[in-house]
Amino acid sequence: MKRILGAALACLLFNIAATHRCAAQIDPTWESMSQHYQVPEWFQDGKIGVWTHWGVPSGIDENRPNDGSHYGRRMYGPTASESGAQRKMTQELTDFHTKRYGQPSEFGYEDLVPLFRAEKWDPEGIVKFFKDSGARFVMPVACHHDNFDMYDSSHPWNSVDMGPKRDTLKEWKEAAQKHGLKFGVSTHLYWSPRFFQTARPYQKHGTLAWKLFNMDYAPKAYPSQDSWNQHWYDRCWEIIEKYDPDMFNNDAPFPDEKRGKRLGIKLFSSFINRDLKENAGIQTVVFSCKSSNKPKDAFTYNLERGSAGEIKPEPWMWATDLSGGWFYRKTAVNHMSIPVMIGNAVDAISKNGVVMLNVALRGDGTLPENQAAYLTTFGAFLKTCGEGIYGTRPWKTFGEGPLKMKDGRQGENKHPFSQRDIRFTCKGDTLYAFVLAKPTVAITIETLAQGGLYEEEIGTIEMLGTDEVLTWNRTAEALTIELPETLPGDPVIGLRIRPAGLAVETTETIHGTSTAATGPAHYPEFSWDTIPLYMHMRKSAKFSREEIEYLAGFPVITLEKTTGSKTYGSSEQGSLEAAKAIKKINPNAKVLYYRNVMCNYSTYQVNDGLNQIPGAFLVARNGKTKLHRGVREIYDLSNPVLRRWWVDHCVEMTEHEAIDGIFLDGNIKALEPAFLKEEIGVAKKQAVTDGYATMMQDLRNQTPSGKLLIANIIRARLPHSGLDYLQYFDGSYLEGIESQANGLSRIEYLAKGIEATQRAARDGKIICMSMGLGRDATKGLRIDDTRQRLQPGENTRPRLEYCLALFLVCAEKYSYVYPHDGYSVNNNDSSVWLQRFAEYDKPLGPPKGPAVKNGNVYTREFTHASVTLDIENETANLVWK
């Protein structure tokens, strides 16, 4: 991990020279792979993937006896080396095949291919289910040991020419991209010549089956055959070139350095080098395999059906099978229960692992209900406890408890956990503790005893999935947590533990004591000394010297869409000039460049490129194109060329030293089902929403390290208040937190917005809250920017105090607020522009704990202030101590 962070930092600081170093080609040696292989953040953050074994075996009689996922090998009879239970299994399978289909010499494996038809396969629906169940990547098998390719292959035995007559890899990838998931492939090809050795006596030269059974290669000496090793290389490289996977899993041996002319390591290093070349020297792909004798920092180690005894220094993969037999068989039994599977998954993640769950589709392409139940239950757990899973890293220790896990492949745990089995993850200042069995008595965690590994004073402990306040006690022996009246329904329970003062560090300055908080290197400066402020405005002309000095006093500044466009000719140049001027005064200020994900504003020079993109804009069913308030076009995010254009521009702007990130507006328009539904239809709107998710994932992947992405995304009107989409961003801007919608009352809507903001802030996300000071707008959007302008002499104190109180009951470290009467500062539009309220300079100090909600009243204590917010009566009280 240190190597990864160091490489990213070097690329950021030393620009061209460092880029050349990062982009250096990896030599085809394990030593070079060990020096340069870097696990991308998306894999470490995503944590959960679904593997699919599906192919010719899936279409065979579902009531067949156990075949160990090797029907094609066993149907031809035992090998000379088989004995005991394995020989018995093979003989039973041969007998079954003979009775069910006929003698293998007459009805061979090639005759089973037409039985695999995939007639009910809906890849989009299945991938959506995977995503809803918590998956962040999918990995179908491209070719198993049976030598049948599940894609449009140069090898004649493939799913396009035979069986389903569909390019399944292409369709899996399209579905994954539509739903914003990463796409991997798994190949099991290498030992295919050995797999079919007992079928060889029945093959005839010159037939198509000759190629299926690898008759041109030796069944035992194939690892030394140059022809086979090159054939393997070419088949694998074809997958990489044609399907451009984010992950390549080699689930079999490969040509080694002694007998195979190093073609194995050549393929793997070439896969990484290809990615480095396409991504400016930054690795974005994952290579995994099961080679226990190779350096574990040279690839991602697949501990298939195994586990880790301790925290591994490098990210690894726990792959397990939910079907009971890898390929579908109706009578197969998964001896790992659902609660144990979830406990095993959390155990792996606590030890730096990533989880890959295999499902086996039926031959018709449907997902068996018993396997779906595993994913559904796991998904429900992740909806409750996902904040302690996604984006986390191992803590100082993985946990405690009586159940000991084996270290290595195979032998995965199938025993039930107890409530004494605890696992930890962490994210920022937050520690997550998972109880791996539903507790029946008070939870005891010895690792968190006073004076132990958790050195900070505990400030808050919350149980994920319940709002009940927990009673707890920390002694020199243990941390004890009393159970709430009602436990969440998940088989594993998650706890959020935060330090007192939210890990605020006290440092000495020339002015005395400062409560400046530290965090991720690219985050803005933050301090609890006074109310943390944010700035968000637009001015089409050049800023004056006074205005630049004013802006430079804020830690985070968003330059809205028309910034400087009249003076400098475009929003790009105007924003860049303003950013340079601000950074010249305050190099630590974070300046964000504005981009709207939906609306095409005319002040951008980059818009010239839209003429080269057919279908760039949405068109209503009546032919109209200016769909945003009748004055401007709306981007068609279902268009991949348009999405690439949009992402490329954002990435290009972040490459300027003065631009610290992107502010993304218009997200609600992409996600709100009602927006443009009547104009373009439900299906098209869904395609736009799906395209939005893909575009945000692409932006996250391509944004340079150290640059911020802040989106206007938290909104109570969205499912889960938009929190599901925060995976793409460093934080959220908020406007309209008081603007009721979706049939909720004003109080219900605001309470839901407060809860969502608190959750995001506690999860370490940046919060930039916009609060309008003027009276409510009488019509239109009724968001903060559309509130009525303040009038000369108008008493702003009650509203200002209410805005600040609302912010303070939500705020955590990296939360900032902007009270205002409009974003525009053209021609004295705003009466608070260049002003500073006295409340901004009053001592605040860190919070003593989270806000307490009693009915519709929130209270919270800070070191130097007491906050009361009454959202029913729209009143607040700030008492400064």
Side-chain angles (χ1 to χ4, degrees):
M1 188 63 184
K2 291 181 180 178
R3 186 178 75 249
I4 296 171
L5 294 175
L9 185 59
C11 287
L12 180 63
L13 294 177
F14 300 111
N15 201 356
I16 296 176
T19 299
H20 282 299
R21 181 169 64 252
C22 288
Q25 293 287 289
I26 299 175
D27 297 329
T29 67
W30 289 105
E31 293 75 17
S32 185
M33 285 283 285
S34 181
Q35 292 170 6
H36 297 289
Y37 182 77
Q38 299 177 4
V39 180
E41 292 291 315
W42 65 259
F43 187 70
Q44 297 182 72
D45 290 343
K47 302 298 186 199
I48 311 298
V50 175
W51 196 0
T52 62
H53 278 62
W54 186 48
V56 175
S58 311
I60 302 171
D61 191 328
E62 64 180 10
N63 294 306
R64 65 188 182 275
N66 186 11
D67 57 13
S69 76
H70 286 192
Y71 189 101
R73 174 175 70 83
R74 297 184 190 275
M75 62 173 277
Y76 290 97
T79 64
S81 61
E82 280 186 299
S83 62
Q86 287 296 314
R87 187 176 186 87
K88 180 181 179 182
M89 182 192 297
T90 300
Q91 188 60 58
E92 288 178 353
L93 200 284
T94 304
D95 294 342
F96 166 83
H97 180 87
T98 301
K99 182 178 180 180
R100 176 68 174 81
Y101 296 108
Q103 291 290 336
S105 60
E106 300 297 328
F107 196 102
Y109 193 75
E110 70 274 23
D111 298 305
L112 294 169
V113 173
L115 303 181
F116 172 45
R117 292 187 289 270
E119 63 271 23
K120 297 180 181 178
W121 181 48
D122 174 17
E124 183 181 325
I126 292 176
V127 169
K128 184 179 185 301
F129 174 69
F130 292 164
K131 181 179 180 179
D132 292 343
S133 300
R136 294 295 181 263
F137 28 92
V138 296
M139 186 177 75
V141 168
C143 179
H144 208 253
H145 312 314
D146 64 355
N147 202 27
F148 186 83
D149 288 344
M150 295 291 289
Y151 57 96
D152 187 11
S153 170
S154 58
H155 175 58
W157 291 86
N158 65 74
S159 64
V160 175
D161 296 328
M162 301 178 180
K165 304 291 181 69
R166 296 171 71 171
D167 187 342
T168 70
L169 281 195
K170 178 183 178 183
E171 294 189 54
W172 279 123
K173 181 174 182 177
E174 289 174 347
Q177 289 182 325
K178 178 174 182 178
H179 292 287
L181 303 188
K182 291 292 186 179
F183 170 73
V185 296
S186 182
T187 177
H188 309 232
L189 173 64
Y190 192 70
W191 55 26
S192 180
R194 187 184 79 184
F195 185 78
F196 279 128
Q197 59 180 300
T198 52
R200 298 176 74 86
Y202 308 116
Q203 309 313 315
K204 296 179 181 179
H205 194 276
T207 63
L208 192 60
W210 190 266
K211 291 185 178 294
L212 176 65
F213 295 101
N214 287 309
M215 296 300 292
D216 291 325
Y217 311 108
K220 294 183 179 179
Y222 66 92
S224 300
Q225 282 187 297
D226 292 346
S227 57
W228 168 250
N229 289 322
Q230 187 63 50
H231 178 81
W232 172 87
Y233 182 94
D234 293 341
R235 293 264 294 276
C236 292
W237 190 250
E238 181 181 37
I239 297 172
I240 292 169
E241 283 283 87
K242 186 171 287 188
Y243 300 97
D244 192 26
D246 300 302
M247 179 175 180
F248 185 89
N249 178 61
N250 188 75
D251 195 287
F254 47 82
D256 60 27
E257 291 84 281
K258 292 182 179 180
R259 297 174 297 174
K261 292 188 175 180
R262 312 182 71 87
L263 284 176
I265 188 61
K266 178 185 176 182
L267 178 81
F268 308 145
S269 60
S270 296
F271 173 57
I272 304 299
N273 283 333
R274 177 181 182 272
D275 177 59
L276 294 174
K277 182 179 180 180
E278 293 179 352
N279 293 285
I282 304 299
Q283 184 178 328
T284 69
V285 297
V286 173
F287 161 59
S288 60
C289 69
K290 301 189 292 190
S291 299
S292 60
N293 61 340
K294 303 299 181 187
K296 301 305 183 296
D297 56 356
F299 62 100
T300 298
Y301 187 32
N302 179 1
L303 271 74
E304 183 182 293
R305 280 191 159 172
S307 54
E310 297 288 341
I311 297 173
K312 299 289 185 183
E314 305 293 338
W316 55 281
M317 186 166 71
W318 174 57
T320 193
D321 169 49
L322 304 184
S323 74
W326 293 106
F327 281 96
Y328 172 68
R329 187 167 49 83
K330 187 176 181 179
T331 56
V333 177
N334 183 2
H335 296 286
M336 183 189 299
S337 69
I338 293 177
V340 170
M341 183 275 285
I342 297 175
N344 285 345
V346 175
D347 173 78
I349 291 167
S350 76
K351 296 168 181 175
N352 211 17
V354 170
V355 175
M356 189 69 78
L357 303 173
N358 177 71
V359 296
L361 304 186
R362 297 185 181 97
D364 64 7
T366 56
L367 178 64
E369 293 74 13
N370 61 331
Q371 298 176 53
Y374 278 80
L375 293 180
T376 300
T377 308
F378 194 30
F381 161 75
L382 290 167
K383 285 181 174 65
T384 302
C385 297
E387 68 173 83
I389 298 296
Y390 302 115
T392 61
R393 296 296 183 267
W395 189 50
K396 299 175 183 178
T397 182
F398 68 84
E400 64 182 56
L403 202 156
K404 305 302 179 185
M405 307 292 278
K406 173 191 173 182
D407 192 86
R409 280 190 55 220
Q410 302 302 320
E412 63 188 356
N413 173 57
K414 295 182 177 67
H415 300 291
F417 293 95
S418 73
Q419 77 167 72
R420 293 167 57 199
D421 292 302
I422 309 293
R423 296 296 183 267
F424 300 114
T425 64
C426 65
K427 185 190 300 179
D429 295 325
T430 304
L431 176 68
Y432 296 94
F434 292 94
V435 185
L436 300 190
K438 194 167 251 187
T440 56
V441 296
I443 300 165
T444 300
I445 308 177
E446 296 178 0
T447 304
L448 300 184
Q450 196 80 44
L453 289 178
Y454 192 84
E455 299 172 358
E456 297 84 358
E457 178 185 351
I458 294 177
T460 61
I461 301 178
E462 299 161 288
M463 184 172 287
L464 302 176
T466 178
D467 293 329
E468 292 187 48
V469 177
L470 301 180
T471 300
W472 52 273
N473 183 42
R474 191 185 190 195
T475 68
E477 284 73 40
L479 170 67
T480 303
I481 305 166
E482 299 297 329
L483 300 184
E485 290 187 12
T486 304
L487 285 168
D490 305 300
V492 170
I493 300 298
L495 297 164
R496 181 197 298 120
I497 302 170
R498 295 180 66 83
L502 303 177
V504 172
E505 298 182 2
T506 302
T507 56
E508 294 299 319
T509 70
I510 58 174
H511 301 294
T513 301
S514 170
T515 53
T518 61
H522 67 299
Y523 269 31
E525 290 185 335
F526 181 86
S527 173
W528 286 115
D529 288 353
T530 56
I531 292 175
L533 298 173
Y534 166 68
M535 175 49 62
H536 188 118
M537 47 61 251
R538 58 176 176 262
K539 182 182 180 184
S540 57
K542 179 182 179 181
F543 290 111
S544 68
R545 175 68 182 180
E546 178 188 10
E547 289 172 323
I548 290 294
E549 290 177 348
Y550 177 71
L551 289 171
F554 293 86
V556 194
I557 306 115
T558 292
L559 302 173
E560 263 265 9
K561 45 188 164 281
T562 59
T563 297
S565 57
K566 287 186 177 180
T567 302
Y568 296 101
S570 69
S571 294
E572 295 97 313
Q573 196 60 38
S575 299
L576 189 57
E577 294 299 328
K580 289 177 181 177
I582 292 168
K583 304 281 274 190
K584 188 173 182 180
I585 297 173
N586 180 8
N588 295 325
K590 298 295 183 181
V591 182
L592 305 179
Y593 173 74
Y594 176 100
R595 280 300 276 161
N596 197 293
V597 303
M598 290 287 282
C599 299
N600 181 42
Y601 289 100
S602 61
T603 55
Y604 290 87
Q605 184 177 355
V606 72
N607 288 353
D608 294 344
L610 288 168
N611 295 328
Q612 307 300 317
I613 304 176
F617 303 120
L618 291 172
V619 179
R621 289 183 283 193
N622 62 9
K624 290 184 178 180
T625 57
K626 294 190 175 181
L627 302 182
H628 183 231
R629 303 176 192 170
V631 297
R632 64 182 58 87
E633 301 92 348
I634 300 289
Y635 300 133
D636 183 354
L637 302 188
S638 68
N639 184 334
V641 180
L642 181 281
R643 295 197 302 263
R644 181 60 183 266
W645 167 85
W646 192 94
V647 170
D648 285 349
H649 176 63
C650 290
V651 173
E652 180 183 359
M653 289 303 296
T654 59
E655 290 172 350
H656 291 286
E657 185 177 358
I659 300 296
D660 296 293
I662 304 295
F663 176 93
L664 300 99
D665 205 4
N667 306 273
I668 310 304
K669 294 179 176 64
L671 300 175
E672 172 61 64
F675 181 73
L676 296 184
K677 181 183 71 173
E678 297 301 322
E679 290 85 348
I680 64 176
V682 174
K684 185 63 175 179
K685 181 56 193 291
Q686 184 60 52
V688 169
T689 301
D690 294 338
Y692 166 83
T694 299
M695 190 166 79
M696 293 304 99
Q697 184 67 69
D698 291 343
L699 179 64
R700 177 78 276 173
N701 293 341
Q702 296 177 40
T703 299
S705 175
K707 299 292 184 173
L708 295 166
L709 296 178
I710 305 295
N712 184 354
I713 192 66
I714 294 180
R715 200 69 67 90
R717 68 197 304 167
L718 296 176
H720 302 108
S721 301
L723 294 177
D724 292 345
Y725 291 92
L726 271 177
Q727 61 179 303
Y728 305 123
F729 312 118
D730 296 289
S732 177
Y733 169 83
L734 284 99
E735 63 178 356
I737 192 171
E738 302 170 273
S739 306
Q740 66 195 81
N742 287 13
L744 298 175
S745 70
R746 180 189 62 81
I747 295 172
E748 291 171 333
Y749 191 85
L750 179 53
K752 187 178 178 183
I754 289 173
E755 180 184 7
T757 306
Q758 289 172 331
R759 174 167 290 193
R762 290 170 185 168
D763 202 26
K765 295 293 185 181
I766 297 169
I767 297 295
C768 297
M769 184 179 287
S770 164
M771 296 296 297
L773 293 173
R775 287 170 290 176
D776 281 339
T778 56
K779 59 182 179 178
L781 293 178
R782 304 190 69 184
I783 59 176
D784 297 291
D785 189 37
T786 61
R787 296 178 76 95
Q788 297 180 47
R789 299 293 186 263
L790 295 174
Q791 301 301 311
E794 184 174 348
N795 180 13
T796 63
R797 296 299 164 183
R799 176 63 186 174
L800 175 64
E801 194 162 87
Y802 183 80
C803 291
L804 294 179
L806 201 162
F807 166 73
L808 289 172
V809 301
C810 298
E812 301 292 352
K813 190 167 63 174
Y814 307 117
S815 296
Y816 310 84
V817 65
Y818 175 39
H820 62 92
D821 64 344
Y823 303 146
S824 173
V825 297
N826 293 301
N827 305 315
N828 299 315
D829 286 345
S830 170
S831 63
V832 301
W833 176 238
L834 303 181
Q835 305 300 313
R836 188 174 179 89
F837 294 109
E839 284 81 356
Y840 295 171
D841 296 314
K842 292 184 177 181
L844 177 66
K848 295 182 178 180
V852 176
K853 185 175 186 288
N854 184 9
N856 294 319
V857 177
Y858 298 80
T859 57
R860 194 178 191 186
E861 292 296 319
F862 290 79
T863 305
H864 303 299
S866 295
V867 180
T868 303
L869 175 72
D870 184 339
I871 63 173
E872 180 175 2
N873 296 303
E874 298 186 74
T875 59
N877 187 29
L878 297 181
V879 178
W880 303 93
K881 303 174 185 178

